[in-house]
Amino acid sequence: MSAARPPEGAHTAAEGEGLPVSAARPPEGAHTAAEGEGLPASAARPPEGAHTAAEGEGLPASAARPPEGAHTAAEGEGSPASAARPPEGAHTAAEGEGLPASAARPPEGAHTAAEGEGSPVSAARPPEGAAASALACRSVAWLALPGAGYLMLVFALPLAVLLASSFHAPGGALSLAGYARFFSDGYNATVVWNTLKIAVLVTSVCLLIGYPVAFAMARARPAVQALMFLALILPLSVGVIVKSFAWTILLRSNGLVNSTSMALGLADEPVKLLFNERGLVIAAVHVFLPFMVLPIFTVARQIDSCLKEAAATLGATPWYAFARVTGPLSLPGVVAGCAFVFSMAVSMYVIPALLIGDRYQTLPALVARAYLFMRDRQAGSTLAVVLLLIAVAIVVGSTLLTRHLQAKTSTSSTTTAAGAAR
């Protein structure tokens, strides 16, 4: 024991180096495993308050001496406990890199196969529900396969044949003569203008009539709404040819329209409504009006009626509330309805043929004449491709515009909600 504890009053080499006596002399009665090996007690456990090499490096004493009784897995492998789990308050390499301590030490008990390979837990275990979502997507894809195959057979394949026919000359060689003749003829430009003009007129009249009808249906009581739906959808069960012949009877000089207008004093003599653009627009609006009302109705019923009341509470006039609230929210339905009506009006053939005849030429009429009378397959295919490109451009443009409007409306709503929260 004398080798471990010098006599009192003796100055040791530690005191000569400026160290306190307690660093060289452990407390009395402190028997450690080091004493059993012939080493001084200070080599096994420095007394409380002693300055160690760890403190000389700027680390607290707790970094050099783990808490008593802290047995970890690292100790079982021959490593000190501090290597497996640093004590509270110890600064690790992760904290030195600006990462929180939780990034360096996973929660206790979270032992996975990924940890054995050095990967994070999230890399080995996918998020819950991912497998179910992938399975659902595969199921939906298989369900859509019959419909997609049917469309490929009866729609995409004929269009591909039509497109190929527009590049084949009567002799069978590839040629652009059909497109060259079409764009070099000034009469075809007049026909395209007539087609676009009548489509725009029909679409505009359908929008003016269908917009208030759609909002009236959206705000009506259930019984009235059912009656309005019946009046709107029931005419769709009647064919276009039957409707066109019916309008020829109604619009003739002694028809119901002229008789009623003269009886009410609106006209002194019969108004010519057949074989001109006015009769064509009237009949076409009657046929295509449901396709304008239904998309707007679908959007209008989702608009909260309290928004108009809130705008009025804030001092907005009815027209201002419509321009800033109701109108922008209903634009997706308006764009969809206009795309439907325009794409059908630009390609209508039966209604102009029965109400106007050959006096008013449109692209569909030229396509029919090229195939039925002239027997020019390349010219008919060229006209059909031009008509198809016009319709596709309208549909694609309306789709992009609808997405832009929806994104803009969503952004405006988010900004408004954030401003209200602040």
Side-chain angles (χ1 to χ4, degrees):
M1 291 295 294
S2 61
R5 184 180 60 189
E8 295 181 7
H11 296 282
T12 64
E15 292 178 339
E17 295 177 1
L19 298 178
V21 178
S22 59
R25 183 182 61 190
E28 296 181 6
H31 301 282
T32 64
E35 291 179 344
E37 297 176 3
L39 298 176
S42 59
R45 184 182 61 186
E48 296 180 5
H51 298 282
T52 65
E55 293 179 338
E57 296 177 1
L59 298 177
S62 59
R65 184 182 63 191
E68 297 181 6
H71 301 285
T72 64
E75 290 179 340
E77 297 176 2
S79 301
S82 60
R85 184 180 61 190
E88 297 181 3
H91 298 282
T92 64
E95 293 179 339
E97 296 177 2
L99 299 177
S102 59
R105 184 180 61 190
E108 297 182 6
H111 301 287
T112 64
E115 292 179 337
E117 298 176 1
S119 302
V121 179
S122 59
R125 184 178 61 190
E128 297 181 359
S133 301
L135 183 60
C137 292
R138 295 193 191 98
S139 302
V140 171
W142 281 107
L143 291 175
L145 187 60
Y150 179 78
L151 289 178
M152 288 289 294
L153 181 63
V154 302
F155 185 73
L157 184 60
L159 287 180
V161 173
L162 178 68
L163 181 61
S165 299
S166 65
F167 293 101
H168 283 279
L174 293 177
S175 174
L176 295 175
Y179 292 96
R181 288 197 306 268
F182 176 82
F183 290 107
S184 62
D185 192 353
Y187 177 73
N188 291 329
T190 304
V191 172
V192 172
W193 167 250
N194 291 339
T195 305
L196 296 177
K197 181 176 67 173
I198 201 66
V200 170
L201 287 175
V202 172
T203 304
S204 302
V205 176
C206 285
L207 179 60
L208 292 176
I209 298 175
Y211 193 89
V213 171
F215 271 86
M217 290 177 59
R219 300 292 185 262
R221 293 177 296 177
V224 179
Q225 189 178 95
L227 292 176
M228 296 179 72
F229 258 114
L230 182 63
L232 186 68
I233 302 242
L234 188 59
L236 295 178
S237 61
V238 183
V240 178
I241 297 177
V242 176
K243 293 178 182 178
S244 301
F245 273 117
W247 277 109
T248 59
I249 297 173
L250 294 175
L251 297 177
R252 62 178 56 176
S253 299
N254 57 351
L256 180 62
V257 176
N258 278 313
S259 301
T260 303
S261 60
M262 289 188 295
L264 295 176
L266 300 177
D268 298 332
E269 58 183 12
V271 180
K272 187 178 180 179
L273 298 175
L274 286 177
F275 307 109
N276 54 26
E277 294 182 5
R278 288 177 291 183
L280 178 59
V281 170
I282 292 173
V285 167
H286 172 249
V287 174
F288 301 136
L289 183 62
F291 300 98
M292 177 67 74
V293 174
L294 293 178
I296 299 177
F297 167 77
T298 303
V299 175
R301 67 183 302 180
Q302 299 177 1
I303 300 176
D304 193 354
S305 59
C306 296
L307 294 177
K308 185 178 179 181
E309 299 176 0
T313 303
L314 296 174
T317 61
W319 285 108
Y320 186 84
F322 173 79
R324 299 299 298 270
V325 179
T326 308
L329 291 176
S330 62
L331 279 180
V334 172
V335 173
C338 291
F340 287 154
V341 173
F342 187 90
S343 61
M344 290 185 291
V346 80
S347 60
M348 61 181 176
Y349 169 71
V350 174
I351 301 175
L354 295 177
L355 294 176
I356 293 184
D358 295 336
R359 298 182 180 182
Y360 194 86
Q361 290 293 329
T362 59
L363 274 178
L366 287 185
V367 173
R369 188 177 68 177
Y371 273 110
L372 299 177
F373 300 104
M374 300 174 60
R375 303 293 182 179
D376 191 347
R377 186 175 181 181
Q378 186 182 20
S381 301
T382 303
L383 293 168
V385 168
V386 172
L387 181 62
L388 178 64
L389 291 178
I390 294 174
V392 169
I394 295 300
V395 173
V396 172
S398 64
T399 302
L400 296 177
L401 182 59
T402 301
R403 291 181 179 179
H404 174 71
L405 293 174
Q406 289 177 347
K408 186 176 180 180
T409 302
S410 177
T411 305
S412 300
S413 301
T414 305
T415 305
T416 304
R422 288 195 296 267

